[in-house]
């Protein structure tokens, strides 16, 4: 496993995107509660992520059933 991971994401249907640099030791040591996702702001639920980005509960959102 590499010590660091550089991730780049391109949004579907656009040339825009985002990325991040992750310290793999920190990621592997994280203990996320069930139903939460790793974010730059710490663990968040799908609903909290949707609210942050003003997303609806569509089939493509983390909080979709």
């Amino acid at each position: 496993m590499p010590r660091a991971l550089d991730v780049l994401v391109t949004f579907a249907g656009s040339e825009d995107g985002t990325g991040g640099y992750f310290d793999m030791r920190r990621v592997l040591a994280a203990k996320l509660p069930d139903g939460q996702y790793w974010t730059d702001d710490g663990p968040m639920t799908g609903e909290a992520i949707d609210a942050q980005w003003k997303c609806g509960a569509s089939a493509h959102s983390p909080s979709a059933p």
Side-chain angles (χ1 to χ4, degrees):
M1 187 68 109
R3 290 182 189 212
L5 184 63
D6 187 11
V7 178
L8 300 174
V9 177
T10 301
F11 300 128
S14 77
E15 293 183 21
D16 196 14
T18 188
Y21 179 83
F22 302 93
D23 178 330
M24 292 308 295
R25 287 177 287 180
R26 185 171 174 219
V27 172
L28 292 171
K31 304 292 184 220
L32 291 177
D34 288 345
Q36 295 201 3
Y37 302 87
W38 182 271
T39 74
D40 290 339
D41 298 321
M44 296 176 77
T45 63
E47 291 83 4
I49 294 168
D50 284 352
Q52 174 184 353
W53 298 106
K54 298 183 181 13
C55 297
S58 73
H60 303 291
S61 71
S63 62

